[in-house]
Amino acid sequence: MNQCKYLFPPYCDIFLEIYNYFISAINPRRLAAAQEAALAGHQQDSTSGGHSGRRGAHRLADRMGGPKKEETPPGGGPTSLFILTEDNPIRKYTRFIIEWPPFEYTVLLTIIANCVVLALEEHLPGSDKTVLAQKLEKTETYFLCIFCVEASLKILALGLVLHKHSYLRNIWNIMDFFVVVTGFKPM
């Protein structure tokens, strides 16, 4: 396994950790031996000045997917809309709601339902509408209300635009806000 360090230095640690994972699934004693060998190799590289492809003691899980613990975004900024501080119960509760998985799934299902409704619309010449299109047109108000509530809760929890992790600093929220604002135009 040590030959890997000389052939593919940047990928060696990733390969070793994946290898250790599969070894642990087969035999726990082999895992202990593999970890000792990997640790001995890292100690040897650090004393000899060799390149092992690692920076510090970071593990594969620390380098892959998602922010590190120290980079976890706070609750927006110090205030939301210059009124609600981080300790405000309204802001805490709205933050809880927007991070609650059933809320996120409800919003996703609403988006999917809205896409289905848009796909079912039929545009006829002369602005004529079928009976189905007339019924589906009535649902636009409900979808717009749900999206307005979502945007309002996120703005209350995160702030509008001035702070680092505020509502309009996320590209998906910008698109969401654009949809909500343009949804009022036909009304």
Side-chain angles (χ1 to χ4, degrees):
M1 293 298 281
N2 285 337
Q3 293 85 4
C4 173
K5 293 180 182 174
Y6 302 110
L7 297 175
F8 307 105
Y11 305 107
C12 186
D13 290 331
I14 295 171
F15 174 73
L16 284 174
E17 291 195 30
I18 292 170
Y19 175 77
N20 288 341
Y21 173 76
F22 286 112
I23 292 296
S24 69
I26 297 169
N27 188 345
R29 279 185 264 152
R30 288 181 111 185
L31 171 67
Q35 287 176 337
E36 287 176 17
L39 182 61
H42 288 300
Q43 288 173 350
Q44 181 183 10
D45 284 341
S46 63
T47 57
S48 65
H51 178 71
S52 67
R54 287 176 87 104
R55 287 181 234 154
H58 297 295
R59 295 182 49 206
L60 175 64
D62 294 336
R63 291 184 299 212
M64 293 178 63
K68 296 178 184 170
K69 288 185 181 177
E70 60 266 14
E71 295 176 6
T72 303
T79 62
S80 172
L81 304 174
F82 300 110
I83 300 170
L84 306 174
T85 63
E86 287 183 358
D87 299 330
N88 189 300
I90 295 171
R91 188 169 181 196
K92 284 183 178 180
Y93 189 66
T94 56
R95 178 104 177 145
F96 170 76
I97 290 172
I98 67 168
E99 292 174 350
W100 190 41
F103 175 77
E104 294 175 5
Y105 291 131
T106 303
V107 170
L108 285 173
L109 287 174
T110 305
I111 292 169
I112 292 169
N114 193 15
C115 290
V116 169
V117 167
L118 290 174
L120 290 175
E121 284 186 7
E122 293 182 43
H123 297 284
L124 300 175
S127 299
D128 287 339
K129 294 182 181 177
T130 62
V131 176
L132 178 64
Q134 291 173 355
K135 290 179 181 178
L136 292 176
E137 190 175 304
K138 294 177 184 176
T139 63
E140 288 181 24
T141 307
Y142 298 112
F143 287 123
L144 185 60
C145 288
I146 292 170
F147 294 139
C148 281
V149 167
E150 178 211 5
S152 301
L153 288 173
K154 285 185 175 182
I155 289 170
L156 283 174
L158 303 174
L160 186 62
V161 72
L162 295 179
H163 307 296
K164 185 176 180 181
H165 300 286
S166 61
Y167 180 70
L168 289 178
R169 296 285 177 110
N170 181 328
I171 192 71
W172 291 110
N173 290 338
I174 292 172
M175 184 184 72
D176 182 45
F177 189 72
F178 178 77
V179 168
V180 169
V181 169
T182 56
F184 283 109
K185 187 177 179 184
M187 293 184 160

